[in-house]
């Protein structure tokens, strides 16, 4: 099945979206279903040869609302949407729709609710946890035609955008005014703001600036029963429960975002970028800890180990110092006076931790060159190994040396190489497990090494995902982090939004659950009396 | 013996919430005891009390049997300095968290406030401009649900997207979704130096401050009817950096550098009616002007667009004033929320004004607290 699929399909987002180009080669290409994957039903690629009458009726209704060209039923067309950035899961959706307005999204969802048909939102399809994996009997709602930037208001530090707008476009639109949109996932040239909201996307500069959740102040959403509702707003601290905060990171399981109000951040007065090379990963980790402990909050602290450097060197000739066991990229930004003082401090701390070479970007070109190695790293690893798995786990940064050592051991025992390229400043690891899919059984074994890495993260008090989300891929690991009661509590929120479970079913939660009756207020005798306490006082 | 029998004592004269007396008070000492207590109190109407500094915010509860007091639920469970996080029990005084060795929880709160109460009230102060609010600094939380079940969300690492971020939901919920027993916070290093710049300047100057990229930690406005409005800026960083930046800021605002904040810094304005006003940044000057024109004293963050207005209830029709402020806040893209008002005035006031998403909020409350026993009637829309 999936094994013989062309892996380049991973990022193809179908008609209307730009070709993914450069990012395609960076897609993780596991090629085969992982061991211990969810029910095989979810993995079966084909839709039934004959669509159900219910879907046919739904397609007819949606064509009336959206127009002929916005509803795809042709199997070849549907297949271009069968996976997201995690290509080992593939499901052909029953229908794909391309709404052009929020009202159309609401109409589609209402039609799904009426028919009890599941629906899945899709932005650019770059997600790495199978979050946008379609449902075989459901509708895939693609936001690629909701691409307008509705307002840029620098004086209010806000921009209002449609969900399909590409992350980088927001910064491009704000830059002429001296502002930008701070969350910068490495996929920012192609991923959508709606997808960022759903995943609470992070990026290299989130160490200082925070994640998507800290930069979204308002949303318009379509609830799973098809209503348009506003959460939050332009101003901070909207009264009532912070449903906006609960929605961000909910991976499309609480509804579909149709409009996003984001915070714009002032472009920093100065930026300084430094590359420090160390003999060992331990030294680079120690430098990271020392920088943070000294009270410096750099804009970014990124680490690459020897294998990641080797790959980047081969791919983009970034010319990092030879013989490095690990490199750190440290970026500082802010007022010139502060940056200068911190810069001296960081350089000294790197030296003390054992840096054998430290380079400073003299200008923007040199800065780009330093970042080019880091940004190309995923793609580069694809050139030194036939296949690889991207893992995404978090540990307390003080545990970096210990956990990186143990990752090396676990991989070594099973005969795998692991390249590490990650957000060191916030302990967000991205170990890439290299393997060769043409060798029988190797994909499954790579998957189990990758899983063991997550267990290491949990053992050290960390998380099973720092930015790529749970999606389809990691739902089975949720019980490592959360008790049944914790998961049930999250499910209470799910039931409040989506009692029928139609929004992106099968994602995030490890086991399917039902919501039960919608609860109401009970009345009766005074509870103190009922509790037998009435007479006491 | 149930945990209720073990822990609850008859309420005293001071044990009331916004004028409604309780029958019982209980102060559990840890999460396990708190869970047993809440489970045993399954049929009681409950209000949670932290430092009690803000129990008079919001309307009185529709019914009240038991006050759960968090004053014994105290202590720093863990301070992982290298990871800049701390795990604390909900009743821990904020003053303690402002002074961890070399580090701080950068969340302004008055003396006497607890960590849990500050999260539950979503209180914030001047430094929100730089550090954000409770929702940004809380990375993990333990809550006893109204049915007595202990539940956690988030974790102990700053970056974490596993599962729903329920910490956000409990933040600002005023104890209507359960009892917070533990919080995990992200910490910040104590800045090496700081200074204030104070100026008599109209609120419109705030925009110039923001545009000048001083990376201010706070930008506060203060305006009193009949007096010149003031601005004050907090700058933090390295000693040399702060010196340069303060001098530059003082020039820009034609103000003075000062080691200390102005007396009104971070305090609620006087008056027995207080209203929180929010708006987009460009509308802050208009919002301040309207409030001062209506006879209110205003202070708050001109950099974040969150202000507090205070006025005496007997100095004119409070309903008309609230309506005026609300209209101005709505025009500014924000809200006007009444925080405090005398008992005689409060019942007739609309405390919140329009709340987007209210129907969804009711559905959340129904799922968490189907019996509507936790702080009934104290939250938006009668939740
Ligand atoms: C090379 C590469 C590098 C990456 N680097 C990073 C990184 O640095 N940081 C990071 O955080 N991620 C990174 N990612 C992962 C991915 O880009 C992000 O998760 C991104 O936010 C997904 O956006 P998308 O538009 O592609 O969403 P999709 O993949 O289309 O969807 C992701 C999820 O969001 C839901 N969704 C999409 N649109 C909406 C909407 N409007 N309303 C509600 N739900 C919606 C989907 O149902 C799905 O669950 C990387 C991916 C690649 C391929
Ligand atoms: C700019 C500004 C200035 C302020 N100035 C002042 C001031 O001068 N004086 C002042 O008193 N306050 C002031 N406040 C408000 C104050 O900061 C907070 O309301 C306070 O932190 C609440 O803490 P507390 O422990 O006193 O909570 P309490 O007042 O006891 O409780 C507050 C709310 O939280 C709930 N709650 C408490 N603990 C828990 C828990 N563990 N789990 C669930 N719910 C809980 C309560 O039921 C109640 O609804 C100010 C706020 C701001 C934003």
């Amino acid at each position: 099945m999936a094994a013989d699929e062309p892996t380049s399909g991973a990022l193809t987002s179908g008609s209307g979206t730009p070709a993914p180009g450069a990012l395609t080669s960076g897609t993780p290409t596991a090629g085969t279903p992982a061991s211990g994957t969810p029910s095989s039903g979810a993995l079966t690629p084909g839709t039934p040869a004959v669509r159900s009458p219910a879907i046919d009726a739904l397609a007819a209704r949606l064509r009336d609302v959206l127009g002929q060209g916005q509803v795809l039923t042709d199997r070849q067309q549907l297949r271009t949407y069968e996976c997201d950035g995690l290509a080992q899961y593939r499901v052909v959706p029953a229908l794909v729709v391309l709404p052009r307005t929020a009202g159309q999204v609401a109409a589609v969802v209402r039609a799904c609710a009426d028919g009890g048909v599941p629906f899945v939102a899709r932005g650019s399809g770059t997600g790495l946890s199978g979050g946008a994996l379609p449902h075989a009997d459901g509708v895939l709602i693609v936001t690629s035609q909701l691409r307008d930037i509705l307002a840029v208001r620098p004086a209010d530090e806000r921009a209002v955008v449609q969900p399909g707008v590409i992350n980088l476009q927001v910064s491009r639109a704000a830059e002429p005014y001296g502002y930008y949109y701070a969350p910068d996932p490495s996929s920012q040239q192609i991923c959508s703001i709606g997808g960022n909201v759903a995943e609470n996307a992070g990026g290299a500069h989130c160490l200082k600036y925070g994640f998507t959740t800290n930069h979204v102040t308002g949303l318009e959403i379509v609830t799973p029963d098809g209503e348009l509702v506003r959460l939050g707003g332009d101003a901070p601290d909207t009264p009532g429960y912070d449903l906006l905060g609960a929605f961000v990171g909910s991976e499309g399981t609480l509804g579909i975002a149709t409009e996003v109000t984001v915070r714009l951040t002032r472009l920093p007065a100065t930026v300084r970028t430094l590359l420090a090379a160390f003999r060992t990963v331990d030294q680079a980790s120690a430098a990271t800890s020392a920088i943070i402990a000294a009270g410096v909050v750099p804009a970014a602290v990124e680490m690459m180990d020897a294998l990641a450097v080797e790959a980047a060197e081969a791919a983009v000739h970034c010319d990092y110092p030879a013989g490095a066991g690990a490199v750190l990229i440290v970026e500082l930004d802010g007022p010139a006076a502060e940056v200068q003082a911190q810069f001296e401090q960081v350089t000294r701390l790197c030296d003390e931790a054992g840096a054998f070479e430290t380079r400073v970007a003299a200008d923007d070109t040199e800065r780009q060159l330093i970042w080019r190695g880091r940004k190309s790293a995923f793609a580069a690893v694809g050139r030194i190994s036939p296949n690889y798995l991207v893992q995404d786990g978090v540990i307390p940064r003080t545990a970096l040396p210990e956990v990186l050592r143990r990752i090396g051991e676990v991989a070594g025992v099973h005969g795998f190489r692991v390249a590490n390229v990650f957000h060191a400043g916030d302990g967000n690891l991205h170990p890439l497990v290299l393997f060769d899919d043409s060798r029988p059984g190797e994909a499954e074994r790579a998957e189990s090494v990758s899983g063991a890495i997550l267990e290491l993260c949990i053992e050290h008090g960390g998380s099973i995902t720092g930015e790529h989300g749970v999606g389809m891929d990691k739902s089975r690991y949720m019980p490592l982090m959360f008790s049944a009661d914790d998961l049930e509590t999250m499910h209470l929120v799910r039931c409040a939004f989506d009692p029928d479970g139609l929004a992106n079913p099968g994602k995030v939660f490890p086991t399917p659950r039902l919501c039960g009756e919608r609860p109401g207020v009970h009345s009766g005798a005074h509870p103190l009396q009922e509790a037998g306490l009435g007479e006491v006082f | 013996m149930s945990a209720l029998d073990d822990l609850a004592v008859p309420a005293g004269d001071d044990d009331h919430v916004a004028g409604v007396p309780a029958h019982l008070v209980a102060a559990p000492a840890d999460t396990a005891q708190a869970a047993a207590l809440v489970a045993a109190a399954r049929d009681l109407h409950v209000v949670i009390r932290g430092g009690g500094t803000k129990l008079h915010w919001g309307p009185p509860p529709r019914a009240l049997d038991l006050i759960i007091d968090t004053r014994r639920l105290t202590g720093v469970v863990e301070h992982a300095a290298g990871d800049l996080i701390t795990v604390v029990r909900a009743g821990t005084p904020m003053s303690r968290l402002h002074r961890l060795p070399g580090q701080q929880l950068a969340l302004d709160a008055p003396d006497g406030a607890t960590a849990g109460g500050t999260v539950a009230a979503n209180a914030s102060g001047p430094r929100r401009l730089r550090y954000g609010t409770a929702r940004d600094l809380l990375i993990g939380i333990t809550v006893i649900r109204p049915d007595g079940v202990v539940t956690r969300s988030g974790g102990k690492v700053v970056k974490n997207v596993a599962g729903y971020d329920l910490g956000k939901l409990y933040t600002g919920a005023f104890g209507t979704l359960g009892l917070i027993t533990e919080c995990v916070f992200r910490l910040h290093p104590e800045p090496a130096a700081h200074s204030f710049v104070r100026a008599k300047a109209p609120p419109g100057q705030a925009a110039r401050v923001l545009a000048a990229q001083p990376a201010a930690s706070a930008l506060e406005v203060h305006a009193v009817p009949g007096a010149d409005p003031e601005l004050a800026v907090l700058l933090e960083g390295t000693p040399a950096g702060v010196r340069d930046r303060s001098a530059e800021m003082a020039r820009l605002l034609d103000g003075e550098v000062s080691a200390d904040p102005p007396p009104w810094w971070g305090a609620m304005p006087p008056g027995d009616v207080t209203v929180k006003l929010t708006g987009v940044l460009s509308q802050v000057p208009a919002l301040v002007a309207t409030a001062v024109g209506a006879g209110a004293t205003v202070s708050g963050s001109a950099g974040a667009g969150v202000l507090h207005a205070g006025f005496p209830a007997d100095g004119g029709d409070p309903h008309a004033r609230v309506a005026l402020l609300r209209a101005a806040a709505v025009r500014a893209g924000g809200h006007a929320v009444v925080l405090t008002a005398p008992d005689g005035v409060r019942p007739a006031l609309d405390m919140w004004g329009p709340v987007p998403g209210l129907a969804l909020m009711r559905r959340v409350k129904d799922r968490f607290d189907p019996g509507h026993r936790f702080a009934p009637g104290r939250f938006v829309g009668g939740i």
Side-chain angles (χ1 to χ4, degrees):
Chain A
M1 41 188 286
D4 49 19
E5 297 289 347
T7 47
S8 61
L11 282 170
T12 311
S13 23
S15 58
T17 43
L23 270 174
T24 307
S25 59
T27 316
T29 54
T32 44
S35 57
T37 43
S39 76
S40 57
L43 284 170
T44 310
T47 43
V50 187
R51 273 190 313 275
S52 74
I55 292 292
D56 281 338
L58 185 64
R61 175 170 165 185
L62 294 180
R63 279 200 183 94
D64 282 348
V65 183
L66 305 182
Q68 189 74 20
Q70 313 299 108
V71 180
L72 311 182
T73 50
D74 173 74
R75 191 172 157 81
Q76 271 318 106
Q77 284 183 314
L78 295 178
R79 278 196 53 177
T80 56
Y81 295 95
E82 68 185 354
C83 67
D84 61 7
L86 187 66
Q88 69 250 47
Y89 301 108
R90 285 157 195 263
V91 173
V92 178
L95 278 184
V96 170
V97 296
L98 303 160
R100 289 189 164 129
T101 64
Q104 289 186 346
V105 176
V108 172
V109 172
R110 213 171 306 121
C112 289
D114 288 348
V117 175
F119 61 89
V120 178
R122 177 183 170 111
S124 301
T126 67
L128 292 176
S129 55
L133 184 76
H135 192 288
D137 304 313
V139 178
L140 189 73
I141 303 175
V142 183
T143 62
S144 60
Q145 302 201 356
L146 289 161
R147 285 227 167 130
D148 288 337
I149 294 178
L150 302 172
V152 177
R153 295 199 297 260
D156 294 335
E157 299 183 350
R158 295 289 184 274
V160 184
V161 306
Q162 290 190 317
V165 167
I166 301 305
N167 173 298
L168 195 59
Q169 297 305 326
V170 183
S171 287
R172 291 263 157 83
E175 263 158 29
Y177 307 97
Y179 287 82
Y180 73 114
Y181 176 60
D184 60 339
S186 310
S187 50
Q188 72 182 143
Q189 297 189 21
I190 177 172
C191 65
S192 73
I193 292 291
N196 292 172
V197 166
E199 300 287 0
N200 186 16
H205 293 80
C206 290
L207 175 60
K208 177 168 177 181
Y209 291 98
F211 317 104
T212 301
T213 189
N214 309 109
H215 295 269
V216 172
T217 66
L219 287 175
E220 177 193 68
I221 65 163
V222 173
T223 62
D225 43 17
E227 265 180 69
L228 281 164
V229 174
R230 289 207 171 261
L231 305 178
D234 289 349
D237 296 7
T238 304
Y241 295 133
D242 185 0
L243 300 183
L244 171 74
F247 190 93
V248 176
S250 64
E251 304 192 24
T253 61
L254 299 180
I256 300 186
T258 48
E259 192 185 291
V260 186
T261 305
V262 300
R263 193 189 298 285
L264 298 176
T265 304
R266 195 80 171 88
L267 283 165
T270 348
V271 180
R272 290 197 81 176
T273 309
L274 170 140
L275 180 80
F278 300 84
R279 295 286 171 214
T280 67
V281 165
D282 273 15
Q283 288 173 336
S285 304
T288 307
S289 297
I291 292 166
I292 305 288
V296 182
V297 184
V301 181
E302 300 282 304
M303 198 193 298
M304 292 167 70
D305 69 5
L307 190 53
V309 170
E310 179 195 320
E313 210 59 71
V316 297
H317 312 291
C318 45
D319 195 26
Y320 287 177
V327 299
L328 278 188
I329 299 171
V330 184
E331 194 155 277
L332 297 159
D333 69 13
E338 297 296 340
V339 169
Q340 183 53 32
Q342 294 188 340
F343 186 78
E344 284 157 17
Q345 208 176 356
V346 167
T347 314
R348 182 173 48 77
L349 292 168
C350 285
D351 289 348
E352 283 170 13
F356 69 86
E357 188 174 335
T358 309
R359 284 186 199 164
V360 184
D363 53 27
D364 222 38
T365 319
E366 285 190 28
R367 178 176 175 235
Q368 307 279 330
L369 188 67
I370 289 180
W371 276 107
R372 190 176 337 141
R374 166 62 182 93
K375 291 198 169 162
S376 69
F378 281 19
V381 167
R383 297 167 58 143
I384 62 164
S385 172
N387 308 85
Y388 65 93
L389 289 171
V390 182
Q391 189 49 284
D392 166 45
V394 188
I395 53 169
R397 60 201 140 207
T398 46
L400 275 176
E402 153 90 5
V403 173
L404 290 175
R405 203 161 37 233
R406 296 218 12 221
I407 288 175
E409 283 164 18
V410 170
V413 166
H414 294 87
F416 286 98
R417 293 193 300 165
V418 172
N420 283 294
V421 39
F422 63 99
H423 313 298
D426 28 41
N428 185 188
L429 306 178
H430 287 321
L432 310 178
V433 181
L434 280 52
F435 69 99
D436 182 352
D437 195 33
S438 65
R439 301 204 198 113
E442 205 167 288
E444 286 78 2
R445 292 196 298 120
E447 177 72 26
S448 77
V449 167
S450 198
I453 291 173
L454 285 189
E455 283 165 27
L456 275 175
C457 292
I458 296 302
E459 193 184 302
H460 286 82
S463 169
I464 58 168
T465 169
E467 54 183 23
H468 294 168
V470 176
M472 168 62 82
D473 193 42
K474 285 192 173 164
S475 56
R476 65 184 184 275
Y477 294 113
M478 285 288 274
L480 282 180
M481 253 184 101
F482 297 110
S483 72
D485 289 337
D486 301 340
L487 292 170
E488 186 201 50
T489 308
M490 290 178 196
H491 203 249
L492 291 177
V493 177
R494 159 89 157 163
C495 291
F497 277 77
D498 185 19
D500 300 323
L502 295 179
N504 212 3
K507 314 291 169 65
V508 182
F509 294 95
T511 40
R513 293 156 188 266
L514 296 177
C515 288
E517 290 286 293
R518 189 174 286 192
V521 186
H522 74 81
S523 53
H526 189 277
L528 264 185
Q529 276 167 343
E530 275 183 352
L533 288 159
E535 339 35 68
V536 185
F537 301 110
Chain B
M1 290 274 280
S2 82
L4 196 58
D5 301 318
D6 279 348
L7 291 167
V9 297
D13 289 345
D14 294 335
D15 297 320
H16 52 80
V17 175
V20 179
H23 300 276
L24 299 167
V25 177
D30 57 35
T31 295
Q33 240 181 37
L37 173 72
V38 173
R42 277 183 104 119
D43 295 313
L44 304 186
H45 292 100
V46 176
V47 168
I48 298 152
R49 180 170 71 198
T53 66
K54 276 293 134 296
L55 279 184
H56 57 293
W57 281 13
R62 272 197 299 268
L64 175 60
D65 305 310
L66 170 70
I67 290 178
I68 299 183
D69 191 307
T70 64
R71 94 194 109 153
R72 288 176 64 214
L73 210 55
T74 59
V76 174
V77 180
E78 185 182 343
H79 172 205
D83 294 315
L84 284 136
I85 63 120
T86 187
V87 185
V88 305
R89 296 206 180 88
T92 310
M94 288 294 289
S95 54
R96 173 130 189 241
L97 306 178
H98 289 150
R99 288 187 298 270
L100 291 164
Q103 301 182 344
Q104 55 164 339
L105 171 57
L107 197 56
D108 298 305
D111 289 345
T114 61
T118 303
V119 168
N122 190 22
S124 68
R127 290 180 302 164
R128 65 176 291 155
L129 181 62
R130 167 154 182 191
Y131 299 101
T133 56
R135 82 192 287 281
D136 304 300
L137 297 171
L138 181 82
I139 58 172
I141 194 164
T142 304
V143 171
I144 318 283
R145 267 181 1 206
D147 61 1
V149 170
V150 181
T151 140
R152 291 181 178 79
S153 96
K156 282 164 53 172
V157 284
V158 170
K159 203 168 181 185
N160 174 14
V161 296
Y164 296 162
D165 189 354
L166 298 187
K168 302 268 189 301
L169 197 58
Y170 303 125
T171 301
F174 286 91
T176 57
L177 296 177
L179 167 66
I180 301 167
T181 60
E182 259 181 38
C183 300
V184 190
F185 291 108
R186 161 181 204 175
L187 301 174
H188 283 86
E190 199 77 68
H194 71 270
S195 83
F196 295 86
V197 174
R198 300 164 56 173
K200 295 239 184 287
Q205 295 282 23
R208 291 184 59 205
V209 174
L210 293 171
Q213 299 180 302
S217 293
L219 166 53
E220 294 283 295
V221 58
H222 182 63
V224 182
D228 287 339
E230 294 175 62
L231 287 177
V233 181
L234 168 63
L235 298 153
E236 297 176 315
T238 59
V242 167
R243 196 174 350 97
D244 292 0
R245 289 156 61 211
S246 325
E248 199 184 310
M249 188 53 54
R251 262 195 311 277
L252 182 82
L253 288 177
D254 193 15
E256 289 169 11
V257 180
S258 151
D260 300 307
W264 45 266
W265 185 266
M268 292 300 266
D272 49 4
V273 180
T274 49
V275 182
K276 177 173 174 176
L277 298 173
T278 59
V280 299
L281 295 184
S282 64
Q283 297 304 311
V284 165
L287 201 47
V288 173
T290 308
V292 172
T297 299
V298 181
S299 44
S301 177
V306 178
L307 309 169
H308 291 96
F311 56 85
D314 54 13
D317 177 6
H319 305 94
R321 280 185 176 176
V322 168
L324 192 77
L325 293 180
R326 183 158 288 146
V330 169
R331 271 199 307 279
H335 295 264
V337 174
V338 179
L339 301 176
T340 56
D343 289 348
V345 174
R346 193 195 298 117
L349 286 179
D350 174 1
M351 307 289 277
W352 285 279
V355 178
L358 188 58
L360 272 176
M361 291 175 195
R362 290 190 206 284
R363 280 153 65 170
V364 169
K365 170 72 172 180
D366 287 347
R367 292 284 169 183
F368 277 76
D369 183 16
H372 288 212
R373 297 182 300 103
F374 270 57
R378 301 208 75 204
F379 200 47
V380 295
I383 287 175

